Amino acid sequence: MSGQNDFPTEFDFIIVGAGAAGCVLANRLSARSNLRVALLEAGQADNTPRIHVPAGTISLYKSRKYTYQYYSTPQKYLNNRRIHVPRGRMLGGSSSMNSMIYIRGARSDYDAWEAMGCTGWGYDAVLKYFMREEDNHLHQDPHFHGTGGELVVDQPRDPLGVSRLFIKAAEEVGLKENTDFNGAKLDGVGIYDVTQKDGKRLSAYRAFVAPVRSRPNLHVLTGCKVVSLVTDGKEVQGVTIERNGQFHVLRARQETILSAGAIGSPHLLMSSGIGNAHELLAAGVPVVADLPEVGRNLQDHVDGLVTIRSDSASTLGFSTASLSSVVPSPLQFLLKRKGWLTTNYVEAGGFASTRYAKDVPDIQFHFVPGYRSHRGRLFEWGHGFALHTCVLRPYSRGSIRLARDGSRNPDIDFNFLSDERDTHVLLEGVKLARSILRASPFDAIRGKEMAPTANIQTDDQLIEYLRASASTVFHPSGTCRMGADDTSVVTPDLKVRGLKGLRVADTSIMPTLVSGNTNAPTMMIGDKASDMILAEAV
């Protein structure tokens, strides 16, 4: 261990991960001035326009500086392809690189958690946290929305006209416009609400931590890799970190809280000897606690794409015709927060039901008002538009395990489409997406369908296309499952079973994946966790 430190080493609470949940926790816990709080982030500061300018998000997905460049194991039901899984590695975590869409999910998602024995996690109980955090600028229904919170919820500053065409096209095939996906109903299509302030990204860090970073009891440590938990028998006493090439032990007088995400939190548990005993021993890790379900129950929204070429410069894209829009865009953004740099690339979308749905929609659309490469490239010359379709409540379950190659890196196996029910829902969803893009509002700008292509028409052909191309919309969850049963990883108060001084608060605790983007629900989890923690704090 190193000698002299330039930071304290003993705290009341240590929070691992400065993402959506961790930042909310840091804000709420440090509001009590007698509590010393450490917020640990392996990445660096967020001081780059690539994060704060909405259109910069596209430059972050392959960044090694700001993003963990994970890849899944070969996916058996997706032609053994490895799926790219980028996760945020900077202050704000993935909330500093996502598409800023503000979606909470369906009421039934949370009521289902309550029915599973997760007391206090029903919709009516969690709604107050969504509302407490929110500063709604859209004058939406006050029964569902809050004002005065840290998180600004607004509309995109300058959505492209082609995004409005999507809404008209969806209406033509029977879907209705919805101006508030977080209100009384989820179904329908519309322009998505976003977490932006003054036209710039508002990450969890910028909303909850940056304004209070001067609190003397709040210590934010960047470039701080947590190597393992420090345990004494069945009690977690803190963490071992690596920072600037030196190792340090940080002690938590009260609790250590893992908010490292659905990949990071189970990975740290297993690296510290907490998980399936047989697998830990096989990976060469001494067993501290045998919790077989750590890393199990991995869920994500599997996604299929329909992408169309267009000759119209009204869509996002690079061409001679678009130069008149591209060249002035930096100045437009600086002066008026207008123009191309305001886009989050998925300005519109919505929720719909296939024939397999029951009471709530089972698919979600993300409409791209520009050409989405059928070859997986970030940029393609020319223009077009595209529609992503994902399965909202997948039945397939995957896992996070420690690699057995000696690296102890996380092996990520989504096991996508292992349950045929997901295949059927995705198939129907992509067929509906095709019908929307073939509707008359797009007639004037529609070109060739590049994927799946006109040659792919039958159900069997479409399924083969999906196995060759389906991916994720980056919503991993469920790997430290919350529950009342003895096999769950955490209890409904988010304490890790069989251990003292340790909780998990992030998407990993979700018993089942919510129906939509996970940023807002993750902040809610951090907020609710803070109340439970403060109720027991000394």
Side-chain angles (χ1 to χ4, degrees), residues 487-504:
T487 63
S488 64
V489 177
V490 299
T491 57
D493 57 3
L494 306 188
K495 294 179 179 179
V496 177
R497 290 189 179 278
L499 293 165
K500 294 182 179 180
L502 182 63
R503 298 194 207 219
V504 180

Side-chain angles (χ1 to χ4, degrees), residues 291-319:
L291 289 178
E293 291 301 306
V294 171
R296 302 297 198 270
N297 195 45
L298 174 61
Q299 301 156 64
D300 203 341
H301 290 134
V302 63
D303 177 85
L305 174 70
V306 180
T307 186
I308 309 289
R309 274 294 193 186
S310 175
D311 292 329
S312 174
S314 66
T315 66
L316 291 174
F318 294 97
S319 68

Side-chain angles (χ1 to χ4, degrees), residues 236-485:
V236 175
Q237 298 181 331
V239 297
T240 299
I241 66 167
E242 180 185 357
R243 194 174 194 235
N244 297 326
Q246 295 184 315
F247 292 89
H248 312 266
V249 171
L250 307 184
R251 300 282 178 178
R253 289 188 289 260
Q254 299 197 46
E255 291 188 19
T256 300
I257 307 149
L258 304 189
S259 296
I263 297 171
S265 287
H267 181 236
L268 181 55
L269 287 173
M270 291 184 288
S271 298
S272 304
I274 302 165
N276 184 296
H278 176 74
E279 293 179 1
L280 293 177
L281 291 172
V285 179
V287 177
V288 172
D290 183 14
L291 289 178
E293 291 301 306
V294 171
R296 302 297 198 270
N297 195 45
L298 174 61
Q299 301 156 64
D300 203 341
H301 290 134
V302 63
D303 177 85
L305 174 70
V306 180
T307 186
I308 309 289
R309 274 294 193 186
S310 175
D311 292 329
S312 174
S314 66
T315 66
L316 291 174
F318 294 97
S319 68
T320 303
S322 69
L323 289 177
S324 60
S325 297
V326 174
V327 172
S329 61
L331 192 61
Q332 287 179 318
F333 182 80
L334 286 172
L335 296 180
K336 299 181 179 180
R337 297 291 191 263
K338 296 285 187 180
W340 276 27
L341 291 182
T342 66
T343 189
N344 65 342
Y345 302 101
V346 280
E347 299 168 346
F351 300 84
S353 297
T354 72
R355 59 193 174 102
Y356 301 106
K358 296 178 181 177
D359 300 324
V360 289
D362 57 354
I363 55 171
Q364 181 179 5
F365 297 121
H366 292 89
F367 177 73
V368 181
Y371 185 64
R372 183 73 167 83
S373 172
H374 63 291
R375 292 179 281 212
R377 297 176 181 174
L378 287 180
F379 297 100
E380 290 263 5
W381 183 258
H383 294 272
F385 49 94
L387 190 55
H388 287 272
T389 307
C390 70
V391 177
L392 280 179
R393 287 177 299 284
Y395 290 96
S396 299
R397 296 291 185 270
S399 64
I400 308 288
R401 289 181 168 88
L402 291 181
R404 296 189 184 185
D405 59 5
S407 68
R408 297 187 184 177
N409 290 328
D411 270 354
I412 305 164
D413 182 8
F414 291 106
N415 207 20
F416 280 139
L417 301 189
S418 58
D419 191 304
E420 288 189 357
R421 290 173 289 184
D422 296 342
T423 308
H424 297 323
V425 171
L426 185 57
L427 170 65
E428 293 300 314
V430 169
K431 288 160 71 173
L432 179 56
R434 265 182 149 176
S435 69
I436 293 172
L437 297 186
R438 290 170 176 170
S440 64
F442 285 114
D443 284 352
I445 65 170
R446 187 191 305 104
K448 182 179 179 181
E449 182 184 270
M450 302 301 293
T453 76
N455 294 329
I456 295 176
Q457 294 295 332
T458 70
D459 286 0
D460 286 344
Q461 289 173 329
L462 279 170
I463 289 172
E464 285 306 306
Y465 161 73
L466 292 171
R467 294 198 190 283
S469 65
S471 191
T472 165
V473 284
F474 315 119
H475 300 152
S477 69
T479 49
C480 295
R481 179 177 65 86
M482 170 177 60
D485 57 292

Side-chain angles (χ1 to χ4, degrees), residues 102 104 131 133-142 144-157 179-180 182 193-200 202:
Y102 184 78
R104 300 171 180 174
M131 294 177 67
E133 297 161 11
E134 186 180 15
D135 187 14
N136 187 282
H137 286 199
L138 301 170
H139 308 291
Q140 291 171 324
D141 190 339
F144 298 97
H145 296 279
T147 55
E150 296 87 352
L151 188 68
V152 174
V153 175
D154 208 343
Q155 286 262 290
R157 279 299 182 92
T179 58
D180 183 6
N182 302 297
D193 296 345
V194 290
T195 51
Q196 294 180 4
K197 183 178 181 179
D198 300 326
K200 297 194 296 184
L202 188 63

